[in-house]
């Protein structure tokens, strides 16, 4: 196998990149309508440059009725007029490229919006028509087709089938949707669907987009052979086969699609890259990240681990070994638009952590967070992953050490997961618009309001408050990213053992860059080496608990 020790070659820029996720509707609102927009992002390019990220990934900005925060796309080759125009997209791209920041866009191929022209055409067309064949329409069971075709749940509620009314007004066929009913699943056995996504990839690649984040990358191909309909009542990983023959997810055939995308990506210079969001058994993740496939696949393992040195060690080792086998690059993630912010998660007591929905629904949930501890651990954790081989995905606002806003009244929630699924947590908290200033309308998010309510404490946690302030989380991120640029080296590490203290995670990269994290509460003696940066204050020659230090050995 080829030796994969790329540094920062023009072709392989992404292998060890720091990618910053922007949720466009919640980043910066230029025209004051309460919704973040592309012009807002362009206005923050100097901020992103100073932060020192290598790339940004934009969550969907396409026309959408927002049944699922934009992951219900009505037109894959356009911009939601509330967010901007294609010209404004080009301006944003140019401004980011001008300061050396690459751009990933989100592609949502498993399902479209029910407002997509193809779905609207399918509703108008008769049963068995080519229009219906682009989606998954089936007859219901029962005498009058009134019983859904199979026992299939959706991620956002009890049923994955919705019945339509036929053009003549009679109750009609059912269509499959693994998410909200406004998100009909495409039929990937249909060649037109395949061709259309190739067109979409070319459309954005021609504009200069550098990479793609592929939504639900493991679900596109389903077992839809004649007379067979997938059924599933739980989406737990344990319910999914891990040999490539599951009815709904991670089927081997899905890789033929990614192979065809890879051919398109390789027509460009540098080749475009993609990162899969694939919730599959860990042993099958690397297939998505192969050189013949997308290039990268998110590992969310650490986003669910408690603050524990051994668990971190084992997860990191597993991921490193898996990527070495295939030559793919690792990805490390703690926060994104779907999960509780990690500064909050790391501050939760063990009981709350073991059942997040229960914690989220408890009236005294705020009192169960130790915020200073959560923040200290979040800072330490981020420094740890920034030192690992591979690329790190950051989520807007984590560079401020933001806690999860928990102030959103249920009647202002937007997340379908919240109101369609019993026992869930809402993802709206992590999508609350960014605080840029201590005062002013929507804390500098924009001159108007904010589409989700911001908490009062944003006055103390925002960019203005932390800018230039030594020790602030923003300055920690800036320094860490700046140092990292000079430190990143071959994608390898060596663990340094601490035989008498199981709370320490300590490793060295081939160029002597050493990262030591103290997961415990008691300080330990600082190993030898020049201190480059620490996630919190050091105590003389001791490393306090819940702190990471970078050393040059
Ligand atoms: C994963 C996205 O991250 C999430 O926000 C969305 O709800 C689902 N995919 C469905 O598109
Ligand atoms: Ca706006």
């Amino acid at each position: 196998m080829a030796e994969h020790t790329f540094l920062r070659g023009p072709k392989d820029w992404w292998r060890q990149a720091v990618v910053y996720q922007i949720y466009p509707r919640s980043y910066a609102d230029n025209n004051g309508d309460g919704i973040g927009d592309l012009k807002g992002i362009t206005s923050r390019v100097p901020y992103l440059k100073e932060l020192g990220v290598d790339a940004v990934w934009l969550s969907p900005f396409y026309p959408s009725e927002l049944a699922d925060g934009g992951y219900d796309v009505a037109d894959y080759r356009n911009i939601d007029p509330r967010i901007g125009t294609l010209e404004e997209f080009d301006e944003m791209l140019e401004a980011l490229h001008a300061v050396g920041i690459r751009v990933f866009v989100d592609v949502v191929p498993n399902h479209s919006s029910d407002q997509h022209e193809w779905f609207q055409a399918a509703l108008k067309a008769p049963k068995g028509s080519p229009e219906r064949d682009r989606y998954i329409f089936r007859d219901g069971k029962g005498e009058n087709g009134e019983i859904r075709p199979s026992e299939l749940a959706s991620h956002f509620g009890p049923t994955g089938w919705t019945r339509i009314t036929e053009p003549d007004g009679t109750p009609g066929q059912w269509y499959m949707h693994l998410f909200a009913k406004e998100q009909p699943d495409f039929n990937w056995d249909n060649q037109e669907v395949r061709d259309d996504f190739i067109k979409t990839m070319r459309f954005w690649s021609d504009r200069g987009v550098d990479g793609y984040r592929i939504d639900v990358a493991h679900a596109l191909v389903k077992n839809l052979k004649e007379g067979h309909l997938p059924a599933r009542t739980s989406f737990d990983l344990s319910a999914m086969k891990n040999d490539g023959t599951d009815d709904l997810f991670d089927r081997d055939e899905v890789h033929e699609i990614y192979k065809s995308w890879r051919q398109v990506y390789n027509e460009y210079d540098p080749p475009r890259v993609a990162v899969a969001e694939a919730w599959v058994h860990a042993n099958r993740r690397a297939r998505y990240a192969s050189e013949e496939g997308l290039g990268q696949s998110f590992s969310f393992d650490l986003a669910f681990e408690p603050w524990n040195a051994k668990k971190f060690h084992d997860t990191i080792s597993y991921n490193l070994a898996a990527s070495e086998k295939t030559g793919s690059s690792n990805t490390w993630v703690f926060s994104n638009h779907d999960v509780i912010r990690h500064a909050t998660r790391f501050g939760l007591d063990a009981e709350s952590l073991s059942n997040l929905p229960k914690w989220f629904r408890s009236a005294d949930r705020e009192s169960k967070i130790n915020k200073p501890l959560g923040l200290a651990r979040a800072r330490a954790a981020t420094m740890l992953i920034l030192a690992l081989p591979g690329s790190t995905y950051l989520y807007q606002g984590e560079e401020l050490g933001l806690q999860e806003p928990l102030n959103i009244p249920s009647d202002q929630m937007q997340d379908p997961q919240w109101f369609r699924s019993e026992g869930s947590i809402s993802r709206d908290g992590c999508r609350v618009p960014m605080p840029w200033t201590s005062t002013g309308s929507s804390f500098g998010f924009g001159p108007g309001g904010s589409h989700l309510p911001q908490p009062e404490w944003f006055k103390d946690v925002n960019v203005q408050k932390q800018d230039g302030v030594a020790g602030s989380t923003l300055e920690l991120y800036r320094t860490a990213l700046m140092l990292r640029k000079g430190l990143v080296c071959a994608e390898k590490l060596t663990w340094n053992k601490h035989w008498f203290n199981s709370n320490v995670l300590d490793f060295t990269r081939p160029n002597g860059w050493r990262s030591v994290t103290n997961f415990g509460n008691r300080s330990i003696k600082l190993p030898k080496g020049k201190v480059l940066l620490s996630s919190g204050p050091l105590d003389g020659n001791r490393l306090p608990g819940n702190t990471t230090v970078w050393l040059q050995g």
Side-chain angles (χ1 to χ4, degrees), residues 287-309:
R287 296 169 161 241
Y288 294 80
S290 77
E291 279 183 58
E292 301 76 42
L294 297 174
Q296 275 190 338
S297 177
F298 282 127
S299 163
F300 297 113
D301 300 349
L302 285 181
F304 296 97
E305 288 303 7
W307 184 244
N308 176 293

Side-chain angles (χ1 to χ4, degrees), residues 313-325:
H313 170 271
D314 293 351
T315 295
I316 292 165
S317 304
Y318 181 90
N319 279 276
L320 291 176
S323 65
E324 197 167 323
K325 249 195 237 158

Side-chain angles (χ1 to χ4, degrees), residues 28-37 82-83 445:
D29 172 21
N30 182 263
N31 63 358
D33 64 355
I35 299 167
D37 42 48
R82 288 165 290 188
I83 291 192
F445 167 63

Side-chain angles (χ1 to χ4, degrees), residues 388-410:
L388 289 170
S391 78
T392 303
Y393 283 78
L394 306 175
Y395 179 54
Q396 67 180 45
E398 68 163 270
E399 75 275 24
L400 306 174
L402 275 195
Q403 298 281 338
E404 182 86 1
L406 292 168
N407 62 313
I408 308 170
S410 40

Side-chain angles (χ1 to χ4, degrees), residues 29 32 437 439-450 454:
D29 172 21
T437 55
T439 55
S441 151
S442 62
F443 300 102
F445 167 63
S450 146
Q454 295 164 304

